[in-house]
Amino acid sequence: MTLDSPMRINPMIRHRASHIGRAVPRREDRSSLMGRQRYIADLKLPGMLEVSFVRSTEPHARIVSIDTGPALALPGVHAVFTGADLADVELFPQKILYIQPVHQPALAVDRVRYVGSPYAAVVATDRYVAEDAATLVATHTEFDPLPTVADLDQALADDAPRLFDDWPDNYLVNFPADKPEVRKAFEEADHTFSDTYVSQRQTGLPLECRGVLADEVDGEFTIWTSTQSPHIVRTTIAEMTGIPEPRIRVIVPAMGGGFGTKTHIYPEDVVMPWIARKLGRPVRWLEDRFENLVSAVHARDQRHDVDVAYDDDGTIRAIRCKAYCDVGSGEIFMPGTATVFVTGGVLTGGYDFRNMEVHHFCVVTNKTPSGAYRGFGTPEGMFVMERIIDRVAHLTGTDRVEIRRRMILQEEQMPYIMHGGGRVDSGSHAKGFERAVEMIGESLERVRARYADDPDVRVGVGYTNYVEPTTPTYHLTTGHWAGYDSATLRVDPDGAVRVGLGTTALGQGTETTAAQLAADALGVDPDDVTVVMGDTDRAPYGLGAWGSRSAIVMSGSILMAADRVMTKAQEIAAHMLEAAADDIVLTDGRFHVAGSDTPTVTWSQVATAAWVRTVDLPQGLEPGLEMSGYFEPPELEHLPGMDGKVNAAASWSNGAHAGVVSVRVSTGEIKIEDYVVVHDCGTMINPMIIDGQVHGGVAQGIAGAMFEHFQYDPETARPLFASFMEYLYPTCSDVPMMTVEHFETPSPDQPLGVKGCGEGGTIGPAAVVAGAVDDALSDLGVEIKATPVTPSAIRKAIREAADGGGER
Amino acid sequence: MKPAAFDYYRPGTVEDALAALGTSETAKVLAGGQSLIPAMNFRLSQPDLLVDIGGVGGLDRLEVGPSGVTIGASVTQSRVMASDEVAIAVPGLRRALRHVAHLQIRNRGTVCGSLAHADPAAELPALAVACGATLFLQGTAGRRTVDAGDFFLGPFWTDLAEGEIITGVHFPSEAADTVTVLDELAWRSGDFAITGLAAALTTRDGTVSGARLVSFGVGGAPRRMAGAEQAVLGFALGDDSSALYGAAYEDGFDAVDDIHASAEYRREALGALAVRSVRAVLASNGNGTGV
Amino acid sequence: MMDTNPGLREVDVSVSINGTQVSHRVPARLLLSDFIRDVVGLTGTHVGCEHGYCGACTVIVDGDAIRSCSTLAAQIDGSAIRTVEDLATDGELTPMQQAFHENHAMQCGFCTAGFLMTLESVDPDGYQEKEQVIDLLSGNLCRCTGYHNIFNAVCSTWGVDS
Ligand SMILES: Cc1cc2nc3c(=O)[nH]c(=O)nc-3n(C[C@H](O)[C@H](O)[C@H](O)COP(=O)(O)OP(=O)(O)OC[C@H]3O[C@@H](n4cnc5c(N)ncnc54)[C@H](O)[C@@H]3O)c2cc1C
Ligand code: FES
Ligand code: FES
């Protein structure tokens, strides 16, 4: 088919009821409700052994020696492997050329750079014994500690200890910038100010930890792993171990969430099949929560040193932002370097503002490597932008809503090219903001009235207008893969449809939405569609589920494949009906000649001819009724142009968030009293599922705004966390109920006008909460510059404002 | 996260439990396990013998009498919380237990286990001190009783001798003119306190005539707040609170600094909690309704 | 006076689980969560933290919802356990399960069993206020739903004004 934009449902199909756009209940639910979903931890194979990884207890050290003897002597222990044993495994690939070389082996060999770094693996009859042995290996490892680097300042000091001896410093990425227009604006503007904004270290924290089960039979490997990108895992394992790729089958069982953390290819993904081959037995490793906290990627650890030039009337003239991302030890594939570029590129959110100069830096420290987490740099950027806007509003006495109204993107500006090249294709930015202001205004009054008699309580409101880049290129993240994904559609002889997808499911209801899409694309009932994904043998090669991309890529690839299936089916039906293919239409699952309701042939008759009664096929037509579509989203760019700009996302959803908080001055206690979201992700395939994505995203955004924070000892670089006692994952009491409304501005470029919605919810809350707290405490001169906004942080800000004479 | 190996013993009598504890230096009593088992899963605690007191006869007694409430060592927090008689005799217990963890944990966690564990941020130790509770201890050397006020020595450190167990605790009935309340600041629902205050306040004619104020989550153990207890005497609802606030703030002199809050924060919060608890009790006309 | 440690490294555990009597000799250190999942083979009960915080492992023992990761199998010898597999009868969902489905109260489904068992263990009469429902739900963590639709599912089933 031609790639008409936007791709539509084949006009030959006539529906009485379309499935796209309906809140179709999820087909995934029943098994979970009955306890019958199979997650990685639920899988066992005969003769299976369990693995426990031994992880560094030192933030930075040379490994002097490892005595595996005592562990091996323990009954039930089958083997202990150290980094040196894996000499036949290649280093993790590093495909991005502009960053410093990291040289990451599958298991650390002679040096560890963070607490949690795996350097040995113990194989035993069960996990209990494996842990006994892992403890013994740990206590029989001699480390020679090296000086540590616990944060950005330490890492960038002139005499900083270096993590990698062959680097000149600790910059993994060092991209300064210089823009004459920005310099000029600073000279001309009425005023300037400088400030620093900080986002803390967090992680995606799926409720299910990771896990790998690997088996090898006659050189054929089956690897079950809890990943968002099975095909990429497979390619990487092949590349690192030399196992021929066709002999590797990667299967993703049901997944208990991922949120970006499971997009990375971790050491365990590679080591487990290696052990299975070595021992000739199936082996399973299940990550426990402690391992998860110290060794699954962290994220969001950014600092922004900004200079802002503005005029008396509240016009922002230029922003210079030095964006630093503390990427931990950097020892992770794919590297955690791309987020800071996303932060820089989308920092201006839903606002018309281009006079930006962003410097991008990624810096290594002796902490857990950082990488992907839902939002991927956008929440950090939005926090900075809204802080700047609120500050300018305050300094110039401009109303905070008014200043935003002046800056917000207007429909007639579409497509709007952002300062970094992001091409916002369409949206409801201004309309959405007005609606959010209206909704929150009502509750603001209510909440103010509620606390009118309590002088200790202050009430405030905060706003944000963001854009959500969806379906991004993977090329800038991986240096390798790029943007497409795939679908294979087969109509079986009984007329039922099987869809194979290159994307995966981790809880977002992909099976349900894919069935809705395929049902409409082939004019069948969703119940007659079976969706298969997360299995490299049963589904076509694809890049997986991340970057809010599934909606676009599966719409595109399903429509492409369906169109090919339809064309062939029309030909077969035409032959059976003795008519011309062009005259054949499909009405409610039956083919007939346009204009006459009978005779008809069914999908089953067509498919039976294609697969079984091939004698009924038109002469010369190839048997079979299975077609694939490999969909590369239009407008998506993979490399910057000469001007350094790139539209790294296929589409741009948008949203306005607003929230009312109450703050107790005496204790700094903060409560989100109301939270509203006006959301626009283009055409909605399943509004119920989209609402769910928004709710969950907002909750995670609030977790980042107020609760979760990985802290390290500044002296030793040791983690000050080991459990949920320290890492404050919010409960139902801590997250407000929210109101979500939608506008539906279809993407002009993408199939069906779909945009994607997985991450938007997380982007708003940090900016909203900070803005609302500032507003509530404005008479005290408080200004929030960092997350999380805890009661302790609020009290500190109140004290500091009082000490500074309430100036800000 | 699996516990290291240990031997398990479930005695039927206190005597057998004590004898078993005497056979090993690292033996531990297992009550509800809600603190001990997570710690063992992290291998922070590696006893070689666990003596499960869940089956010891008599320790499951929950008795409400004219003098107060007596809670045996295997009585769960949920059972105490559910009892209306307990709530009438010692209303502070239900009020405090609302802040302790969540339903599923209280369903196994014991009141005495919490006292024995002596987490500095736990509610029940502070409540015990505020109420003037008495602990019943038994060791191979015999039985003794200890006032809650003398029992908590520091973080996870009590007056329990090696091999000694708590068999029960007695909370005296609340006097008619006294109200016991517990308030705290915790970042999440169900968490241990960042700063907490347990207060037993006696009022006469709308002013405070007697007070036992106990801080927790501030320093290393629940502690009577000498300054605030003095400053609060004679306090009435509309009074200026700065002296009370200041005294409570000073009582937090050894507040800890940690990843959740600064020491300064804890001292301020203690001041604020003192004022707000006292006002809440006075506002309830001294009978505790609604607090 | 005892001279030697009277404890056992392995213990016999006999329980009724979802109405079926089972007996196994297991290591004393075996967690109840592992007993249910690995020994009995009922994997609907999940493990998300193994230190008492997340509630994914919640099961009902003698009528009470408890954390199976913070309980030893040895401790509950002689008890009756119920797990998520015991909720639906002959494939027919309970009203609460049905409400979870209709309200989209689950995404990845990893937390679902824990929530359902907590809810199953209590008498709804004690939870007729919105705040009580929120407090009850706070003992289980969910990373996907933001709790919004779980709360709605419970309120609709129990007739609570949300
Ligand atoms: C997620 C979570 C949240 C929690 N939140 C809170 C909270 O907010 N506030 C709070 O106070 N607690 C909280 N707890 C702890 C909980 O209240 C525990 O139940 C309690 O601290 C210990 O009681 P237990 O019966 O479970 O004792 P166990 O865990 O069995 O034992 C704890 C310790 O006390 C010793 N011990 C127990 N009983 C006796 C006895 N009779 N004599 C001598 N020694 C004994 C044990 O040897 C062990 O060292 C939380 C726990 C979890 C898992
Ligand atoms: S696994 Fe038991 S509470 Fe998390
Ligand atoms: S649905 Fe995924 S954790 Fe709750």
Side-chain angles (χ1 to χ4, degrees), chain A residues 207 729, chain C residues 106-112 115 141-145:
Chain A
L207 192 58
Y729 184 141
Chain C
M106 54 206 287
Q107 292 181 28
C108 76
F110 202 75
C111 67
T112 310
F115 276 98
L141 298 177
C142 173
R143 192 59 160 178
C144 300
T145 63

Side-chain angles (χ1 to χ4, degrees), chain A residues 207 289 724, chain B residues 41 105, chain C residues 33 46-58 66-70 110 139 141:
Chain A
L207 192 58
R289 188 54 72 181
F724 288 156
Chain B
N41 289 357
I105 293 158
Chain C
S33 45
H46 300 143
V47 165
C49 72
E50 288 182 313
H51 57 281
Y53 269 81
C54 77
C57 66
T58 305
I66 65 151
R67 307 288 211 218
S68 62
C69 73
S70 306
F110 202 75
L141 298 177

